[in-house]
């Protein structure tokens, strides 16, 4: 297993120590297995990126996008695509969404954590209906 980039680790640690107000609000509901009993971590290195919040057990990444992200949509799309190729599901919220409707954000996260039904094969000809 490759060693994690020390620069990214230091940056993630610094980010954990200085969260934005929106990240702090989100962390208050996600920390200490308070949310759906799921363990979340914040500012997690998934090289070459640092994800805002991650539920490793569910392979779920939660990103909080500040105002500057409106200028970086293509970069965010590449980041999301890369994380998805690693097996993660990525959901994004804006600072405004978290600040104005934390309950709504929590509901969407709960939906993302809910088990997904396995798809059922179509009945063969002559079976079923």
């Amino acid at each position: 297993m490759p060693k994690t980039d020390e620069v990214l680790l230091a940056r993630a640690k610094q980010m954990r120590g200085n969260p934005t107000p929106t990240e702090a609000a989100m962390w208050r509901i996600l920390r200490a297995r308070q949310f759906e009993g799921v363990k979340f971590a914040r500012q997690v290195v998934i090289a070459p990126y640092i994800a805002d919040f991650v539920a490793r057990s569910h392979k779920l990444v939660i990103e909080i996008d500040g105002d500057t992200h409106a200028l970086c949509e293509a970069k965010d799309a590449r980041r999301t695509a890369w994380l998805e190729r690693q097996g993660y599901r990525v959901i994004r919220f804006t600072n405004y969404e978290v600040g104005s409707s934390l309950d709504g954000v929590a509901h969407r996260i709960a939906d993302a954590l809910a088990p997904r039904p396995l798809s059922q094969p179509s009945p063969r000809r002559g079976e079923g209906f």
Side-chain angles (χ1 to χ4, degrees):
M1 184 152 145
K3 185 169 171 46
T4 303
D5 184 318
E6 295 297 326
V7 173
L8 281 177
L9 283 173
R11 176 75 177 129
K13 184 176 180 180
Q14 186 271 331
M15 292 168 75
R16 283 191 297 273
N18 285 319
T20 67
T22 307
E23 290 170 344
M26 181 67 81
W27 185 238
R28 281 191 291 278
I29 66 166
L30 296 178
R31 67 185 297 275
R33 295 183 193 265
Q34 296 178 125
F35 192 84
E36 304 283 323
V38 175
K39 180 178 180 173
F40 281 89
R42 60 188 171 132
Q43 304 306 337
V44 176
V45 175
I46 306 174
Y49 300 108
I50 300 172
D52 290 335
F53 302 96
V54 178
R56 288 184 178 109
S57 62
H58 288 72
K59 297 286 278 193
L60 177 66
V61 170
I62 300 169
E63 290 291 308
I64 310 293
D65 295 341
D67 296 336
T68 60
H69 283 265
L71 305 173
C72 305
E73 288 181 19
K75 183 178 175 183
D76 286 343
R78 283 191 304 275
R79 173 189 175 103
T80 295
W82 187 90
L83 289 165
E84 288 174 343
R85 285 192 304 275
Q86 308 317 302
Y88 288 92
R89 183 165 171 220
V90 179
I91 56 175
R92 294 182 168 279
F93 300 100
T94 64
N95 280 343
Y96 179 78
E97 288 174 300
V98 174
S100 65
S101 180
L102 193 54
D103 288 341
V105 167
H107 183 73
R108 287 180 48 201
I109 295 169
D111 284 348
L113 291 170
R116 301 279 180 230
L118 297 174
S119 61
Q120 298 294 319
S122 301
R124 290 186 214 172
R125 193 172 279 247
E127 293 181 13
F129 302 102

